[in-house]
Amino acid sequence: MNQALDIVAAGWKSWKGQGQTLVVFAFQESAPVLLGLGKEAKILAALAQSDGFKGKERETFIARPSDNKPAERLLLVGLGKKADFNLEVLRRAASGVVKAGESLSLKQIAVRVPQIGRGAAQLGEIQALGEGLFLAAYRFDRYQKPESDAPKPLEHVTLLSETLSASVGKAIDHARIFSTATTLARDLINEPPSRMNPERLAEEAKKIHEGSLTVKVHETKDLEKMGMGGLLGVGRGGAVPPRLVELIYKPSGKAKKVVALVGKGITFDSGGLSLKPAQSMETMKDDMSGAAAVLGVMSALGELKPRVEVRGYLAIAENMPGGRAQKPGDVLKAFNGKTIEVLNTDAEGRLVLSDALAYACSKKPDVVIDIATLTGACVVALGHRISAVMTNTPALFKSLKAAGDLSGEKFWELPLEKEYQQDVKSKIADVQNIGKRRGEAGAIIGGLFLQEFVDDRPWAHIDIAGPSWTDSDQPYCPAGATGHPVRTLLHYLQSL
Ligand code: BES
Ligand code: ZN
Ligand code: ZN
């Protein structure tokens, strides 16, 4: 659940909280370089060094200056070498602050902003610090009794910047907005799949009633009328029927562009009749990560106010092997009229997305981006830290990659190779939902299939099958759903 961490800004020079614990960051050079302090920095650095502190990434050290300056207790946190510094280093370091604060049972802590860059760079650093703090405080513990000796969470952080300006407050606001959007996605995904079923996910979308947002849910009857054979086909095996949720955010002025975001929302992927082995199913509640990311993004727009119109489409179904389930060999007809031979019911993401993508395109947006935990092959190719992007517009990959460089989320381009296009042609329908050369280029085949349902407008497919989930605790994300790539998409929308 979302942790109620509160971050406020204060000016360093007028700070009067000397009785508190003060966090100071340090670079690892020949001697540690304490950042943002005055003349006491050198003396303190020498003291810390004599006790073995080097300033390595996420190394921590507690010092109690004899004259209580600049605070009674200092928590030094290493940032590693200055040459290797980037915003991700700061986010990870901030997570170290949250952990150290918890282990010291602190309710509040003050953090000296390290003052590395200037101007916009400085504000980016404050946002990154804020994100690291907010996101590291996230827990999904609603199904656990707290242990009596469990560390109490940190509640209050004061960020001490050189001067206190409106833009510092705005950077902290952005950190909060980006993090809340991310933790909303994490919460939706982490929720057990029989609770977070298609009905509930659509309800959660309706709860986002920002003034500037409209939400419409298309249920079975509407889907039938609209000719959404892909969504209906996948949904047939489950007890809870599928939905298509449509959210629209309009900026107050004239929109510079219209962006459509389409998310795969399989609330549980058993594989359907092409049933998955038990172990592969263990994490398949995360197969709605694309839809959850789109919802996270939409929830932030009212506050973030980008100057673009954003349309979110969530293609929601559960993929189950019930008595009415679709069968290998069945033929479906998608929203754009193309027929699909279903040869493997476990390749269901592309079926629900075929309708949602074609529908999104029919409304003529300037850009379409789909986000999906589409293929295990993508995890084989790029692992759990990198998402694949396939696009018909090279500049779109560049923009997403640049947004990822700001968020710390990683993307790599895979080609939509034309020579493989014939691999998704079917003998009896327009296309088939798996490639002919089984097991080869699986992530690309998924992208090529989706391309059959978009027109010529700029489109990118992001396969997040790896990064949407982490089996182990990460610096600012506990094991489970990560909320990737919410922050990247928000940076991207802000850049337009
Ligand atoms: N949801 C899975 C993809 C997936 C696998 C996501 C592992 C995260 C981790 C998807 O629906 C699927 O099962 N894809 C099949 C496609 C195949 C049948 C062509 C796959 O990857 O095996
Ligand atoms: Zn599947
Ligand atoms: Zn799936």
Side-chain angles (χ1 to χ4, degrees):
M1 286 283 105
N2 276 333
Q3 220 67 40
L5 179 71
D6 170 41
I7 304 181
V8 296
W12 168 239
K13 296 216 174 84
S14 55
W15 183 57
K16 296 272 185 309
Q18 271 71 6
Q20 293 184 22
T21 303
L22 174 69
V23 175
V24 174
F25 294 105
F27 278 136
Q28 176 188 3
E29 301 301 320
S30 52
V33 179
L34 305 195
L35 298 160
L37 296 187
K39 51 185 179 324
E40 62 263 68
K42 278 225 165 103
I43 307 158
L44 289 168
L47 271 174
Q49 189 182 26
S50 69
D51 275 329
F53 178 74
K54 294 194 166 60
K56 285 188 194 158
E57 233 197 295
R58 298 186 73 220
E59 182 186 3
T60 55
F61 179 79
I62 291 175
R64 292 181 177 276
S66 51
D67 56 357
N68 285 353
K69 278 184 191 156
E72 200 172 295
R73 181 159 62 178
L74 283 185
L75 172 62
L76 304 185
V77 179
L79 296 178
K81 298 227 161 69
K82 186 172 186 186
D84 300 332
F85 176 78
N86 57 41
L87 294 180
E88 186 62 5
V89 169
L90 216 44
R91 269 182 221 103
R92 289 166 179 250
S95 77
V97 172
V98 173
K99 301 229 159 81
E102 281 176 2
S103 65
L104 294 168
S105 299
L106 297 177
K107 269 202 169 163
Q108 58 171 346
I109 204 163
V111 177
R112 176 65 175 119
V113 169
Q115 305 292 138
I116 299 161
R118 290 181 193 283
Q122 172 66 204
L123 295 174
E125 285 161 16
I126 293 175
Q127 180 172 343
L129 260 181
E131 285 175 6
L133 292 166
F134 279 124
L135 291 172
Y138 173 83
R139 300 278 175 281
F140 186 74
D141 54 9
R142 57 181 303 185
Y143 295 102
Q144 268 171 339
K145 252 214 197 104
E147 286 175 35
S148 52
D149 58 347
K152 294 272 178 302
L154 190 64
E155 288 172 8
H156 191 88
V157 177
T158 308
L159 279 189
L160 300 164
S161 66
E162 198 62 27
T163 51
L164 195 56
S165 63
S167 47
V168 171
K170 211 168 165 190
I172 296 175
D173 279 345
H174 280 177
R176 183 178 43 74
I177 296 167
F178 277 53
S179 304
T180 308
T182 304
T183 55
L184 170 64
R186 287 182 186 174
D187 271 346
L188 294 169
I189 301 161
N190 282 329
E191 192 66 19
S194 291
R195 291 175 182 258
M196 192 53 67
N197 60 25
E199 182 183 10
R200 170 80 186 280
L201 184 52
E203 266 166 28
E204 295 295 327
K206 279 198 263 182
K207 281 191 198 157
I208 302 173
H209 40 63
E210 292 281 349
S212 42
L213 208 71
T214 58
V215 185
K216 198 151 106 194
V217 180
H218 304 281
E219 299 197 8
T220 306
K221 282 229 165 68
D222 311 307
L223 299 177
E224 279 166 357
K225 267 189 229 143
M226 294 155 94
M228 302 241 173
L231 256 167
L232 289 164
V234 173
R236 268 173 43 191
V240 186
R243 271 107 174 142
L244 178 74
V245 178
E246 193 173 353
L247 305 105
I248 298 180
Y249 159 83
K250 286 192 201 280
S252 53
K254 190 177 169 348
K256 290 174 104 182
K257 262 191 179 164
V258 179
V259 179
L261 301 176
V262 182
K264 170 177 172 181
I266 300 297
T267 56
F268 185 71
D269 184 8
S270 72
L273 285 176
S274 311
L275 199 66
K276 284 183 186 293
Q279 216 187 337
S280 313
M281 250 187 251
E282 284 176 10
T283 56
M284 277 301 135
K285 67 175 181 184
D286 99 318
D287 214 20
M288 45 163 286
S289 295
V294 174
L295 212 48
V297 168
M298 299 305 295
S299 75
L301 301 180
E303 258 193 292
L304 200 61
K305 300 185 174 49
R307 287 168 297 177
V308 287
E309 179 172 330
V310 186
R311 302 179 186 156
Y313 301 91
L314 318 181
I316 306 175
E318 48 178 19
N319 188 24
M320 298 291 286
R324 285 169 39 79
Q326 62 175 348
K327 305 166 187 76
D330 275 347
V331 175
L332 310 172
K333 190 177 204 169
F335 178 80
N336 68 349
K338 281 197 184 173
T339 54
I340 307 167
E341 185 183 11
V342 180
L343 289 178
N344 189 319
T345 63
D346 196 13
E348 83 299 336
R350 58 199 77 183
L351 300 177
V352 299
L353 287 174
S354 66
D355 286 332
L357 275 170
Y359 181 67
C361 286
S362 75
K363 308 278 182 193
K364 305 198 184 323
D366 297 305
V367 183
V368 184
I369 300 171
D370 75 74
I371 303 104
T373 45
L374 205 74
T375 64
C378 194
V379 190
V380 174
L382 297 176
H384 273 91
R385 295 285 177 270
I386 310 170
S387 282
V389 178
M390 285 149 258
T391 180
N392 56 10
T393 308
L396 183 51
F397 173 68
K398 275 209 176 124
S399 307
L400 289 168
K401 179 88 170 61
D405 289 342
L406 292 175
S407 72
E409 295 171 328
K410 298 186 177 96
F411 302 87
W412 199 252
E413 191 176 9
L414 293 180
L416 288 165
E417 175 53 56
K418 281 200 182 69
E419 279 198 54
Y420 301 164
Q421 193 97 44
Q422 67 204 36
D423 287 38
V424 296
K425 298 291 176 215
S426 156
K427 290 194 189 80
I428 64 158
D430 295 327
V431 287
Q432 61 182 39
N433 78 332
I434 54 173
K436 285 182 187 139
R437 281 174 275 225
R438 304 293 149 89
E440 286 183 23
I444 295 174
I445 293 291
L448 287 168
F449 179 93
L450 295 179
Q451 194 169 25
E452 299 278 338
F453 300 89
V454 295
D455 41 27
D456 289 336
R457 69 194 67 245
W459 157 71
H461 157 56
I462 312 182
D463 193 333
I464 58 168
S468 65
W469 185 266
T470 176
D471 280 330
S472 58
D473 289 347
Q474 297 303 312
Y476 56 91
C477 184
T482 61
H484 172 107
V486 169
R487 289 178 301 113
T488 298
L489 291 170
L490 290 175
H491 276 300
Y492 167 72
L493 294 172
Q494 276 191 312
S495 76
L496 298 175

